[in-house]
Amino acid sequence: MASAPSDYDPDKARDALRAAQLYYLQDITMEAIAQELHTSRSSVSRLLSFARESGLVEIQVKSPADRISTAQRRLRERFGITAHIVPVPNSTNEVDRLERVAVSAARILAPFFDSNMTLGIAWGGTMSAVSRHLPDKITHNSTVVQLNGAANTHTLGIVYASEIMSRFGVAYGATVEQFPVPAFFDDPTTKDALWRERAIRRVLDIQKRMDIALFGLGSTSSAVPSHVHIGGYLDKSDYAALAGSDVVGDVATVFYRSDGTYDGIEVNSRSSGPGLDLVASVPRRVCVVSGRSKLPALRGALAAGLVTDLIVDEATAHLLSDTA
């Protein structure tokens, strides 16, 4: 990487970093970047050139000492995680905010996954958005495995979940292992019986060999509703039980409280998602989060030790780091 020149200008470096993140990680055009930075297209072009020449950009964007890297450092010190912070204007609506985080997440994820690896994916709205922006990276002897079932009383969920899984499989040239079971069982004993079937055990065993777990966070209070909460997966009695257990979020349809505990939550005994102790044992656990309404769920996931890499929008990252 090129070294910084002796007349290094921190203000110019900051602007160049911002432009590079928008251009290379989010596919924002130079015209749009110029509007966002309140400058001209030619100035954006010069900033991008400066970013390349000064070593801010190689294959991925590098961050000098600025507000974003300060938040990254605080989050590492407090939670022991690597934060990948996506710059998004505060005025951006929540749908567009999620889309911009998803674009960056798709690119950040690519170097993590390689040949001879297994990637576990929890379906949901965030993962659906990420799957639409995956760059091609052909791997060998690799597997993507679905972490939780998608069927409910209204739909088998096959189209929704399989489309997400298929996009990952195609992008990485990986074998796709689907999990054709309900998202939630009516009776825990039915789940226990099905879990003894060899066909289901095979998928469960693949899940146990995950190198990477990739997931968003479910939340009843999210500004962009989680798919599990709008898709008819839970009824009024389920929500009452979750409220009574002080639940703040879920990973792969397994629920937890603000302190990270998840024992004694009745719905979890009927969930098809992996136990959170299994998730916490995966070497790399990539959580993608967008929007400050997800903060309670994010804090709970961090308390549970479920995250090693956090891909998050700038405003949410600063709120988390400021209160850490």
Side-chain angles (χ1 to χ4, degrees):
M1 182 176 70
S3 60
S6 58
D7 58 346
Y8 184 78
D9 182 342
D11 291 334
K12 184 176 182 180
R14 183 192 61 240
D15 291 342
L17 171 67
R18 185 109 185 170
Q21 288 173 316
L22 295 172
Y23 187 74
Y24 292 107
L25 291 182
Q26 298 188 37
D27 289 341
I28 307 298
T29 65
M30 283 196 281
E31 288 82 1
I33 296 171
Q35 291 181 354
E36 187 165 316
L37 299 183
H38 305 292
T39 188
S40 65
R41 185 184 184 284
S42 60
S43 293
V44 172
S45 179
R46 287 193 292 271
L47 287 172
L48 293 174
S49 296
F50 175 82
R52 293 189 298 270
E53 294 165 0
S54 62
L56 290 174
V57 171
E58 290 179 303
I59 296 175
Q60 51 186 289
V61 177
K62 306 292 183 179
S63 176
D66 63 3
R67 189 166 179 251
I68 285 181
S69 59
T70 298
Q72 290 171 328
R73 184 179 67 254
R74 287 178 179 173
L75 294 176
R76 178 180 289 276
E77 292 171 351
R78 172 65 179 85
F79 300 108
I81 63 172
T82 299
H84 309 264
I85 299 176
V86 181
V88 182
N90 289 333
S91 59
T92 305
N93 66 55
E94 293 304 315
V95 173
D96 289 342
R97 182 180 301 273
L98 170 59
E99 195 69 11
R100 287 176 66 156
V101 170
V103 171
S104 288
R107 281 141 178 84
I108 292 168
L109 177 66
F112 296 170
F113 186 60
D114 216 327
S115 297
N116 305 307
M117 295 180 71
T118 297
L119 169 64
I121 299 172
W123 60 261
T126 299
M127 290 305 102
S128 179
V130 172
S131 72
R132 293 194 296 270
H133 301 288
L134 293 167
D136 290 338
K137 178 181 180 179
I138 300 304
T139 63
H140 304 283
N141 191 36
S142 59
T143 303
V144 293
V145 60
Q146 183 178 331
L147 294 184
N148 51 323
N152 62 21
T153 56
H154 305 294
T155 173
L156 293 177
I158 293 174
V159 173
Y160 180 76
S162 65
E163 185 174 28
I164 296 172
M165 300 300 297
S166 177
R167 288 171 182 160
F168 278 91
V170 170
Y172 297 142
T175 300
V176 175
E177 296 288 351
Q178 296 183 348
F179 199 27
V181 299
F184 297 97
F185 290 83
D186 292 331
D187 188 331
T189 60
T190 306
K191 170 186 171 180
D192 293 340
L194 187 58
W195 259 221
R196 291 193 292 271
E197 292 293 324
R198 284 181 295 173
I200 300 302
R201 278 244 58 91
R202 187 182 67 83
V203 179
L204 295 174
D205 288 342
I206 294 172
Q207 292 177 359
K208 291 178 181 178
R209 300 196 298 269
M210 283 184 288
D211 299 286
I212 304 173
L214 175 66
F215 53 87
L217 300 178
S219 171
T220 57
S221 61
S222 175
V224 180
S226 302
H227 189 80
V228 70
H229 297 301
I230 61 174
Y233 289 90
L234 300 169
D235 59 27
K236 290 182 179 180
S237 63
D238 292 325
Y239 284 113
L242 293 175
S245 296
D246 299 320
V247 162
V248 296
D250 74 271
V251 168
T253 60
V254 178
F255 297 88
Y256 53 86
R257 305 178 184 90
S258 60
D259 62 358
T261 60
Y262 43 87
D263 56 296
I265 299 175
E266 187 276 334
V267 177
N268 287 346
S269 67
R270 300 187 285 111
S271 170
S272 60
L276 297 185
D277 53 343
L278 172 61
V279 175
S281 72
V282 178
R284 183 163 232 157
R285 308 178 296 277
V286 183
C287 177
V288 184
V289 177
S290 170
R292 61 191 67 193
S293 61
K294 289 284 185 78
L295 268 174
L298 177 53
R299 291 191 180 104
L302 291 169
L306 301 180
V307 182
T308 60
D309 289 82
L310 174 64
I311 304 173
V312 62
D313 65 279
E314 186 176 359
T316 304
H318 288 310
L319 283 172
L320 179 64
S321 68
D322 290 344
T323 57

